[in-house]
Amino acid sequence: MASLVETLLAPLNALIPARFRSDIPVVPVVRLSGMIGVTTPLRPGLTLAGLTRTLDRAFAVPRARAVALVINSPGGSPTQSHLIFRRIRQLAEEKDIPVLAFIEDAGASGGYMLACAADEIICDDYSIVGSIGVIGGSFGFQELMKKIGVERRIYTAGERKAMLDPFREENPEDVARIKAIQADIHARFIELVKKRRGTKLKGDDKVLFSGEFWTADKAIDLGLADGRGELRSVLRERYGDKVRTPVIATERGFLGRRLMGARLSDMVRGRGGFADDVLTALEERALWSRYGL
């Protein structure tokens, strides 16, 4: 009887908009592009605050068969990477929906942590994958200060408050301290990758977690990725040619509303300002250039 009813009603399905049809599979898409954590009014980065509503909307799409993450990030803040990772996993478990990650140019460092939130990682032949490590850097301007005759005056309460000041001689104790923090973050990153990838990982830890990065073939061989492909082809192959892939866009503010943690009125008055955006752009360019991109 059920099949007879379905047969009789089938011609009517063509009259129903695709988004309302229960027989057409849906896989909402969330794009995670850019640096993680570094945010200025004109160059918003990826943060949990900026993505929370987008992720909530993606996982709330009715009849979603999966959620697809399109990742294109060289990394950035380990804290924001982990917060976004955790939120994706929480929603996936609450809604019992599988997550697929599609790496485009790069899923590196914190970008790879985001990919680990997925149940399956798919990349392009030329994608950069991995870079499971921690990096930090600074400059030393003390000799320049001497040459131009400028004296540095700094006042602190707290013995370590001026640690790694670029205008003072490098202190070996400060370097040891920052390296210890990096080692702790690295260890937690390794633990996260091992937990998510499990027995898929192949190869020695010294190779997998050295901070090195690879293209698709090697990443798949090492178990850091599961296969090659791009979003449209893979989803059509799995869910049929009629699969709908609505992009859940990150919401943007207007005029006085908040825009990724900043206000337009602040931009007009120069808060954050052009200099911050230039520095952020240079930092982002330097981060991408590490991967030859």
Side-chain angles (χ1 to χ4, degrees):
M1 179 65 71
S3 60
L4 177 60
V5 172
E6 290 173 359
T7 302
L8 293 173
L9 294 178
L12 299 177
N13 283 336
L15 303 176
I16 302 173
R19 65 180 180 275
F20 298 123
R21 290 175 56 177
S22 60
D23 61 322
I24 295 181
V26 181
V27 179
V29 178
V30 177
R31 297 195 65 89
L32 301 175
S33 300
M35 287 184 65
I36 302 169
V38 179
T39 298
T40 66
L42 298 180
R43 300 185 70 87
L46 297 172
T47 64
L48 178 62
L51 287 168
T52 294
R53 292 185 67 181
T54 302
L55 293 171
D56 287 348
R57 288 167 57 211
F59 281 91
V61 170
R63 301 181 300 277
R65 302 283 288 275
V67 170
L69 309 175
V70 178
I71 296 171
N72 194 11
S73 175
S77 162
T79 301
Q80 288 300 322
S81 301
H82 190 236
L83 288 172
I84 297 167
F85 164 89
R86 287 183 60 186
R87 183 58 180 159
I88 294 168
R89 290 310 314 153
Q90 288 168 354
L91 288 168
E93 291 166 11
E94 287 172 10
K95 305 292 185 179
D96 192 24
I97 297 176
V99 180
L100 305 175
F102 294 86
I103 296 176
E104 293 189 331
D105 293 288
S109 195
Y112 184 71
M113 186 184 292
L114 299 184
C116 283
D119 301 292
E120 189 174 349
I121 300 174
I122 301 161
C123 54
D124 183 79
D125 288 341
Y126 302 100
S127 298
I128 297 297
V129 182
S131 191
I132 302 168
V134 183
I135 187 172
S138 183
F139 297 92
F141 298 109
Q142 66 275 7
E143 296 301 323
L144 176 62
M145 300 277 283
K146 292 176 184 177
K147 283 186 179 181
I148 63 177
V150 175
E151 180 184 358
R152 170 72 160 163
R153 295 176 181 174
I154 187 168
Y155 311 98
T156 67
E159 184 180 351
R160 299 286 186 180
K161 190 62 179 177
M163 186 175 71
L164 300 177
D165 186 325
F167 297 100
R168 302 171 71 179
E169 294 285 345
E170 189 173 66
N171 184 334
E173 292 184 2
D174 292 347
V175 175
R177 174 62 178 155
I178 199 69
K179 282 184 172 291
I181 293 173
Q182 289 179 325
D184 181 55
I185 295 172
H186 192 202
R188 293 175 183 275
F189 193 176
I190 292 170
E191 182 182 0
L192 181 149
V193 174
K194 285 186 172 182
K195 182 176 180 179
R196 291 298 302 157
R197 299 300 296 171
T199 57
K200 294 179 180 179
L201 293 175
K202 304 166 188 175
D204 192 273
D205 283 7
K206 290 182 179 180
V207 175
L208 288 169
F209 308 122
S210 65
E212 190 176 353
F213 48 89
W214 303 272
T215 51
D217 281 345
K218 189 63 175 178
I220 293 169
D221 287 344
L222 292 171
L224 297 174
D226 298 292
R228 300 176 194 77
E230 50 82 30
L231 183 137
R232 185 170 181 271
S233 298
V234 171
L235 296 185
R236 282 190 163 201
E237 181 182 339
R238 297 190 182 188
Y239 301 109
D241 291 344
K242 293 184 179 180
V243 63
R244 291 184 56 242
T245 56
V247 176
I248 311 300
T250 302
E251 294 182 356
R252 292 288 187 265
F254 181 71
L255 296 179
R257 296 179 183 177
R258 290 193 176 276
L259 175 62
M260 294 295 286
R263 292 181 182 274
L264 182 62
S265 55
D266 290 342
M267 291 188 277
V268 172
R269 289 195 295 268
R271 294 184 187 176
F274 178 72
D276 282 349
D277 283 296
V278 170
L279 290 174
T280 300
L282 291 173
E283 183 177 358
E284 185 172 0
R285 181 64 259 164
L287 194 53
W288 278 111
S289 67
R290 290 185 58 231
Y291 307 108
L293 300 171

